[in-house]
Every structure is written in structure tokens, then in C-alpha cells.
Amino acid sequence: MLRSLSWKLTLAFLLVALTATLLLAAVIRLTSAGQLDRLIIEQRRNELQAQLVNYYQANGSWAGVQLYLAQLRGGLRLREQTNRPPVGRRERYELFGLADADGNVIIPLPGEYLPGARVPPGVLARGEPVVVDGQTVGVILTAGLPPGLNPEETAYLQRTTAALVLAGIGAVIVALLVGVWLARTLTRPLRALTAAAHRIAGGDLEQVVTVQSADEIGELAAAFNRMSREVARANQARKQMTADVAHELRTPLTVIGGYIESMRDGVLEATPERLGVIYSEIERLQRLVGDLRTLSQADTGELKLEVQPVSPAELLQQVQAAFAHQAAQKGVALSVEAERALPAFGADEIRLMQVLGNLVANALRYTPAGGQIVLGAIASSDRHVSLTVRDTGPGIAPEDLPFIFDRFYRADKARATENGESGLGLAIAKAIVEAHGGTLTVDSTLGQGSTFVIQLPQR
Ligand code: ADP
């Protein structure tokens, strides 16, 4: 429990509240006590100043002033007798001394200026002048020590302390409440995420955690949901792939097995045609295994590329030459639209021919007679070369578009294996282009045709 986030957060809040209250108490105590002292000194000095001015105006000199003040204070002390300041504090009337205008001490300040001494001019300048008829006739000297506090002042300080203690208790209660509340709202989504993570570990991959907050925890929950979706999707793809591979292997193996069994049992004779059928099925299996190997190499980053300078225009011309006969037989026009001046780029020419060959074979398969296939090349401004294969075939339905690069995906499931297409062609093409650091995308409109775009970096 002590290690839980709620506990730590609450404790942190409590600590902040307590520290703040203590600091505030210290500051208030220091400043208010100091200010009180200054205020008291000032008040008493003003009192004394008025008395001194009166005395001088009446007598024209300082002679006998000490006696006069002592008499005055005698009354004062009688009044204060019950509330004498604590021992060790200077008594109030000893707070001030008096010097005449020349600095001769008239009323001594015990320990500082004794009777008959002279006050240095610097100290005299800092003293409070006693002015009579525009003339400075004396200077009040102030002792360094603060005065004691009278009962009202002590009471004031006690009241402030009590208020501070109350404020401190209030702050602690508020800090506890806010801390507990915040800790709960913070940890609730975290607990939900932990529970969901445990469920994923237990095999239930698709988890959705609902977190309302738009803060970092909300972001974490969104990222978690996305991750969970992706993991579930990848897992589904893996299962699908295994099923698809098993399915692809079954047909040729059934054909081969059936023929061989019949021949072994003497039911069928081993004619060259029958052996030919068996051989073409074996070839199909070899192609499938080869394709799967290429894909697994691409997956593990082991696809070896023999990179060399490739001229886009020449590459397209080669592809056109390779498919010219097939296109002519089908009645489809196959042309190249590429500037000769396009700069060469670094790529594995054989692998790239494989990609383009696959795209053109698809285009030929789906484009009806009278249609058109155009191979294009343009240099994009951002140091990329784009190779395009555009056909005027039936196009690809929007619902199929996101999946056509997936392994074993065929838009038209019925006509699949008859023609020997495995549904791996585009997946391999995409893997090879990506191994080059490029992208393979498609733009297709139903009824108008498709354009496959290979974008490669100009290395
Ligand atoms: P396949 O071996 O079945 O051709 P691909 O991976 O090459 O597998 O293609 C996947 C699917 O994408 C095809 O089954 C087809 O439905 C669709 N497709 C690919 N190229 C074209 C095209 N040029 N025109 C229309 N559909 C296409």
C-alpha cells in the first residue's frame, strides 16, 4: 500500500501544504515582530521628541531636562508596573538618549554614550533632530536593542500564531482531500490499463480501455488501444497466413499425389502428358516456396539487394520488351512514357524488374482487349523517382483497395488458383520496394483502371 501511487501523491501534497504553512508562519512571525518593534520605537521617539521640543521652548536650554523626563516617566512606570517587560530587555526610557547640537551627551545611553562624552558626527547625523524655531537644538539617539512588547502587542502576536495554526490545519485537510481525489482519478485509468495488459498477456489480444481524460494518461490509453488493435491484427494475419499456406499447398499436392498413386497402382500409365502435369504442379510449389522465402527474408531484413545505377527509361523499355509479345497477343497496347534524360538511381535491377514484371503481368491479366497499359517514369522534386504502371482495366473496388498488398489476398476469390496466381505477387512487390527504402501505392477507380506507383529514393 505504501508503494502505491495514491499514497505517494497524497503524501507529496501533504508535505507541500505543511512546508508552505510553516514557511508562511516563519515569514509572518519574523516580519511582523520586526515591524512591530520598529513601529514601537518610532512611536516612542515621536512622543519624546514632542516632550523635548516643549521643554526647550519653555526653558531655552537643556539644563534639568533629565530630571524633568524622569518625573514624567515616573508616572508612566507606575502605570506600567504590573506589566513589566521580561528581564533582560532594556526598559523603555533607556531606549533613547539626547545630545545637544554639537554632539555633547545630555541624556546618556547606558553602555553607548555616557554623560559628558561626545557623539561622533556620523552618529549625530543619523539621529532624530529636535528642532525649535527652525534651529536644531538637539539630537535624539536611539539604542540598538528592540523594546519589549506590551500586552496588546503580545496578544496580537498570539492571535496571528493561532490564525496560522488554524490555517495550517485547514491546508493539511484540503491537501489530504485534494491529494486523495487526484490520486484516485489518476490511478483509476492506470489500473484499467494494467488489467487490460494482463488480459492481453492471457491471450485476449483485442482490448479497448475507455479513458475520458485528454492528458498524458488519455494519450497512453489511446496508444495502448492502438497497440492492442495492431497486435490482434498481426496475430490474425499470422493465423490467416498459416491457413493460406496450407490451402495453397493442398491443391498441387493432391494433384501430384493422385497421379502418382494411380500410376503406382497401374490404374494410369505414366505418359509424358501426365508427367508434364505433375511437373507443372511441382513448379507451382517451387514458385510458392520461393515467394514465401522472399517474403520471410524481407520480414527479417535479410533480403539481399545488388544495388547498381539503373536508368529509369531503359528499365521500363526492358520490361516493355519482355511483355510486348504477350500484350500483342491479348490486343492490349503496352507503351513507355519516360524522358530519356531522367537521372539514373541506385537499385537492384533484377528485383526491380521482378516488381515491374509482376505489376505488368497483373495489368495484362485484368485489362481487356483494346485496353492500354502505360509504363511511366518521372523525377519527383524531392529527390525521388516515381515509376508507374497504368492500365485501363476494371479497376479495384474501394473495399478491396486496403488489402490488395496483403499476403494471399485476392479480390476475386473465385477465379483465384485456376490461373496459378498465388495472391502473393503484390505483397512481394511491396516488400522489395520497401527494402529499397521506397513505397508502393495504388490509385484505382472502378471501371476506369488502376495506377500502381513505385516511389524510390534517388541514391
Ligand atoms: P495475384 O497473384 O492474385 O495477382 P496479387 O498480389 O498480384 O495477387 O494481386 C492481388 C489482387 O489485387 C488481385 O487478386 C486482384 O484482385 C487485384 N489486382 C492487382 N492488380 C490489379 C490490376 N491491375 N487491376 C485490377 N485488379 C488488380
Side-chain angles (χ1 to χ4, degrees):
M1 188 270 189
L2 287 186
R3 288 196 183 169
S4 79
L5 200 57
S6 315
W7 174 246
K8 285 181 191 163
L9 275 171
T10 312
L11 204 67
F13 266 97
L14 210 61
L15 215 69
V16 170
L18 275 178
T19 317
T21 318
L22 285 180
L23 271 177
L24 192 68
V27 169
I28 289 185
R29 257 223 92 101
L30 282 179
T31 53
S32 61
Q35 260 156 12
L36 260 179
D37 285 349
R38 267 198 298 281
L39 226 96
I40 292 162
I41 293 175
E42 218 170 278
Q43 196 190 335
R44 302 219 182 274
R45 198 176 42 217
N46 289 345
E47 239 172 66
L48 178 67
Q49 197 178 23
Q51 286 162 357
L52 288 174
V53 168
N54 281 346
Y55 184 83
Y56 199 91
Q57 268 172 346
N59 296 285
S61 87
W62 289 125
V65 68
Q66 209 166 352
L67 197 70
Y68 164 73
L69 285 180
Q71 277 168 356
L72 270 184
R73 294 241 167 71
L76 205 83
R77 278 175 76 183
L78 270 181
R79 266 193 278 131
E80 282 187 0
Q81 238 164 16
T82 40
N83 299 306
R84 289 291 294 274
V87 185
R89 290 229 183 221
R90 221 179 258 252
E91 296 199 0
R92 277 156 204 235
Y93 60 87
E94 286 178 350
L95 257 179
F96 305 106
L98 178 69
D100 66 12
D102 299 324
N104 298 311
V105 175
I106 292 160
I107 301 175
L109 259 182
E112 289 177 59
Y113 302 111
L114 298 172
R118 260 186 98 91
V119 180
V123 178
L124 209 61
R126 272 184 277 126
E128 187 70 22
V130 180
V131 183
V132 174
D133 299 333
Q135 275 233 313
T136 303
V137 292
V139 175
I140 300 174
L141 308 164
T142 308
L145 278 180
L149 301 177
N150 68 22
E152 294 94 69
E153 292 151 7
T154 318
Y156 168 74
L157 273 184
Q158 273 167 357
R159 275 202 307 279
T160 358
T161 314
L164 272 173
V165 169
L166 271 183
I169 294 172
V172 165
I173 292 173
V174 170
L176 263 176
L177 290 178
V178 173
V180 168
W181 172 78
L182 203 72
R184 270 170 191 263
T185 40
L186 275 182
T187 51
R188 201 182 301 125
L190 287 181
R191 274 198 293 271
L193 279 169
T194 311
H198 281 309
R199 285 198 294 276
I200 288 184
D204 196 357
L205 297 181
E206 186 128 27
Q207 294 294 327
V208 180
V209 180
T210 32
V211 173
Q212 311 301 7
S213 60
D215 54 13
E216 284 87 344
I217 294 183
E219 275 175 39
L220 173 66
F224 180 89
N225 289 341
R226 208 163 47 243
M227 179 200 75
S228 151
R229 236 181 356 257
E230 271 309 303
V231 169
R233 203 189 63 81
N235 193 48
Q236 181 54 36
R238 185 181 58 82
K239 284 186 192 159
Q240 186 62 46
M241 172 104 178
T242 316
D244 287 338
V245 170
H247 179 80
E248 294 299 320
L249 291 175
R250 201 168 50 221
T251 319
L253 285 176
T254 311
V255 174
I256 294 169
Y259 271 112
I260 302 254
E261 194 180 21
S262 308
M263 286 172 189
R264 183 198 64 194
D265 296 346
V267 181
L268 284 180
E269 234 180 278
T271 60
E273 294 81 49
R274 285 179 190 140
L275 289 175
V277 172
I278 291 174
Y279 187 69
S280 69
E281 288 301 325
I282 289 176
E283 272 184 324
R284 191 161 135 183
L285 282 176
Q286 280 172 335
R287 252 199 327 273
L288 180 67
V289 171
D291 283 353
L292 286 173
R293 198 173 134 69
T294 309
L295 276 175
S296 92
Q297 282 175 334
D299 282 346
T300 53
E302 287 167 11
L303 197 65
K304 294 219 166 35
L305 298 178
E306 306 264 334
V307 178
Q308 55 195 28
V310 176
S311 151
E314 274 173 35
L315 183 71
L316 295 187
Q317 235 95 52
Q318 270 173 281
V319 176
Q320 185 201 24
F323 285 91
H325 178 66
Q326 220 178 312
Q329 268 192 330
K330 257 208 99 174
V332 172
L334 177 62
S335 58
V336 174
E337 277 176 15
E339 296 168 35
R340 287 235 143 250
L342 271 182
F345 62 97
D348 183 327
E349 193 168 4
I350 296 179
R351 294 267 187 212
L352 220 50
M353 284 282 283
Q354 185 185 348
V355 173
L356 284 163
N358 192 287
L359 296 181
V360 175
N362 274 351
L364 274 173
R365 188 177 303 140
Y366 297 108
T367 306
Q372 222 185 352
I373 299 172
V374 181
L375 309 180
I378 44 164
S380 331
S381 53
D382 52 349
R383 302 180 56 73
H384 278 79
V385 186
S386 291
L387 304 175
T388 55
V389 177
R390 197 173 75 233
D391 66 49
T392 55
I396 302 163
E399 63 267 25
D400 290 323
L401 264 185
F403 307 108
I404 59 161
F405 295 106
D406 288 356
R407 291 159 195 201
F408 295 112
Y409 188 85
R410 302 180 185 99
D412 183 359
K413 280 140 198 100
R415 66 183 294 277
T417 32
E418 295 161 24
N419 300 323
E421 312 91 269
S422 63
L424 284 177
L426 285 180
I428 290 176
K430 191 173 163 77
I432 292 174
V433 173
E434 284 175 356
H436 278 86
T439 54
L440 174 59
T441 50
V442 64
D443 188 12
S444 184
T445 315
L446 259 188
Q448 286 182 19
S450 317
T451 306
F452 284 84
V453 181
I454 305 170
Q455 202 174 49
L456 292 165
Q458 267 184 359
R459 285 192 271 202

